[in-house]
């Protein structure tokens, strides 16, 4: 609670722009099937070169058992150069020790540490409607509970490590799949011993045939649609407001705070010794209000959400 009180006295928004993310149910898009004369084969094709797809490509590319396999990563965006900006991004991840082990196994965690991340020593979670409270930490508080890192930093670290296995992983930027033929799933294409390859039609009218297709293409996954994977969705009718906050440097900013409010949880994750990432999940109406009010009023609202009593 001391951290929240200090925040109330000395906290201010670092950026004037506050983003919001609407939480919507998953929908699907129509998948068309095509054929092409320009065919090639690959042992593994990964559709989607975001953080998950790049991590998968990096892990497979560094696996010695797969050193003779051809791996293709499809990324719709153009290849970009990245330098760590002075301002923190609002898009962050909490990295567990197990995820650190995964990133370390391909040499990416060292890249993350050289760029920017921050450790979490303790996490405190409590309820606004009762006295319920729980604290997570390692016994001696010396070992880190987790790390907070920006998505852009993680992706850049993985891209750098992909370059080390460029002879195994073919990263195709500005390339995305527009069609899939999956034997035994796509109508009119029965699976047989002679016909067991997945066909991936690309936007440039080339065709990839593969034994293993991995879908890492986001919430509107075309791979999931083509594979007829059944999912259950629920619209929680909530919006997450994210922002970067600055706290007083005298605070030990190694604690993650989360409070459950009647309208949804609010959390602050430490980004550095003096900056925090705010994620406030609430109703769409309140989210719009929070985005429109002045910065000082926004900071007051954040502090009230962490310390005020809720009847």
């Amino acid at each position: 609670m001391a951290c929240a009180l200090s925040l109330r006295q000395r906290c201010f928004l670092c950026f004037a722009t506050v983003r919001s993310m609407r939480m919507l149910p998953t929908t699907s898009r129509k998948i068309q099937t095509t054929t092409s004369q320009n065919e090639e084969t690959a042992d593994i094709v990964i559709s989607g070169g975001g953080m998950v797809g790049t991590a998968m490509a990096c892990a497979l590319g560094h696996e010695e058992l797969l050193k003779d396999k051809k791996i293709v990563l499809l990324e719709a965006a153009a290849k970009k150069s990245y330098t760590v900006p002075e301002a923190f991004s609002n898009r962050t991840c909490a990295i567990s020790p197990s995820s650190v082990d995964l990133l370390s196994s391909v040499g990416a965690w060292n890249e993350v540490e050289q760029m920017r991340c921050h450790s979490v020593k303790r996490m405190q979670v409590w309820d606004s409607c009762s006295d319920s409270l729980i604290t997570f930490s390692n016994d001696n508080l010396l070992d880190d509970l987790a790390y907070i890192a920006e998505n852009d930093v993680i992706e850049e670290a993985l891209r750098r490590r992909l370059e080390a296995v460029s002879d195994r992983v073919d990263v195709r930027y500005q390339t995305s799949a527009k069609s899939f033929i999956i034997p035994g799933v796509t109508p009119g294409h029965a699976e047989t011993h002679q016909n067991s390859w997945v066909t991936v039609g690309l936007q440039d009218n080339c065709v990839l045939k593969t034994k293993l297709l991995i879908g890492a293409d986001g919430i509107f996954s075309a791979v999931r649609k083509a594979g007829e994977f059944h999912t259950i969705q629920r619209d929680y009718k909530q919006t997450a407001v994210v922002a970067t906050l600055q706290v007083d440097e005298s605070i030990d900013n190694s604690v993650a705070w989360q409070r459950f409010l009647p309208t949804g949880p609010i959390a602050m994750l430490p980004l550095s010794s003096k900056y925090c990432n705010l994620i406030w999940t609430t109703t769409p109406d309140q989210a719009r209000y929070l985005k429109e009010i002045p910065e000082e009023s926004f900071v007051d609202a954040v502090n009230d959400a962490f310390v005020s009593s809720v009847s």
Side-chain angles (χ1 to χ4, degrees):
M1 195 65 69
C3 179
L5 291 174
S6 297
L7 173 65
R8 181 176 179 80
Q9 296 167 355
R10 307 186 185 187
C11 174
F12 62 91
L13 266 179
C14 181
F15 308 116
T17 301
V18 180
R19 298 193 310 140
S20 67
M21 300 178 291
R22 181 77 172 98
M23 295 183 179
L24 297 173
T26 302
T27 58
S28 60
R29 61 187 182 193
K30 184 178 180 181
I31 304 299
Q32 298 177 340
T33 58
T34 63
T35 58
S36 171
Q37 298 298 320
N38 302 320
E39 291 187 356
E40 59 179 304
T41 61
D43 296 289
I44 303 171
V45 173
I46 303 170
S47 180
M51 188 160 48
V52 174
T54 304
M56 175 62 78
C58 204
L60 295 176
H62 282 83
E63 175 54 60
E64 281 300 309
L65 293 176
L66 301 176
K67 63 181 180 180
D68 296 325
K69 302 299 182 181
K70 180 179 179 180
I71 303 168
V72 175
L73 174 63
L74 305 177
E75 168 52 40
K79 185 177 182 178
K80 60 182 180 181
S81 59
Y82 177 80
T83 55
V84 179
E86 181 180 354
F88 284 92
S89 168
N90 287 335
R91 298 174 65 244
T92 62
C93 282
I95 307 299
S96 69
S98 295
S99 295
V100 170
D101 290 341
L102 171 63
L103 294 171
S104 297
S105 69
V106 298
W109 184 246
N110 183 56
E111 300 281 356
V112 171
E113 289 185 309
Q114 290 181 5
M115 285 184 281
R116 188 162 64 192
C117 67
H118 194 64
S119 63
V120 177
K121 299 291 186 183
R122 185 162 58 93
M123 181 176 183
Q124 182 166 310
V125 183
W126 71 104
D127 186 15
S128 63
C129 303
S130 69
D131 295 328
S132 299
L133 171 71
I134 187 170
T135 300
F136 301 92
S137 65
N138 289 312
D139 293 337
N140 55 14
L141 292 180
L142 296 178
D143 296 329
D144 297 324
L145 186 67
Y147 298 86
I148 307 300
E150 296 154 276
N151 292 12
D152 290 340
V153 169
I154 298 171
E155 290 181 13
E156 174 62 18
L158 290 166
R159 281 193 294 267
R160 292 179 183 180
R161 295 307 301 156
L162 271 180
E163 293 177 0
V165 288
S166 58
D167 58 327
R168 304 182 189 179
V169 181
D170 179 10
V171 183
R172 302 189 183 184
Y173 293 100
Q174 294 182 289
T175 305
S176 59
K178 68 175 183 179
S179 65
F180 302 95
I181 297 176
I182 303 177
V185 177
T186 305
H189 296 272
E191 183 176 11
T192 65
H193 180 70
Q194 294 79 18
N195 181 32
S196 60
W197 291 70
V198 175
T199 302
V200 182
L202 306 180
Q203 287 184 329
D204 59 3
N205 292 324
C206 291
V207 171
L208 281 172
K209 286 186 173 291
T210 183
K211 286 289 188 179
L212 176 60
L213 171 64
I214 299 174
D217 47 350
I219 184 174
F220 303 114
S221 173
V223 174
R224 184 179 63 226
K225 171 64 177 177
E228 297 184 359
F229 295 104
H230 298 289
T231 60
I232 298 175
Q233 303 91 33
R234 177 181 176 183
D235 186 356
Y236 287 91
K237 303 186 186 304
Q238 291 179 318
T239 299
V241 176
V242 293
T244 301
L245 304 176
Q246 184 173 358
V247 296
D248 187 82
E249 293 186 33
S250 63
I251 296 173
D252 178 16
N253 197 28
S254 63
V255 181
W257 306 90
Q258 184 177 40
R259 192 184 194 200
F260 282 86
L261 304 172
T263 53
I266 182 172
M268 285 209 315
L269 308 176
L271 290 171
S272 68
S273 61
K274 61 179 180 178
Y275 288 103
C276 280
N277 182 217
L278 173 77
I279 306 98
W280 189 345
T281 303
T282 185
T283 63
D285 288 341
Q286 187 180 20
R288 283 190 291 270
Y289 167 77
L290 292 171
K291 290 173 60 181
E292 293 171 357
I293 60 178
E295 291 184 10
E296 291 185 1
S297 299
F298 181 86
V299 172
D300 287 339
V302 170
N303 287 299
D304 287 341
F306 274 106
V307 302
S308 63
S309 300
V310 178
S311 57

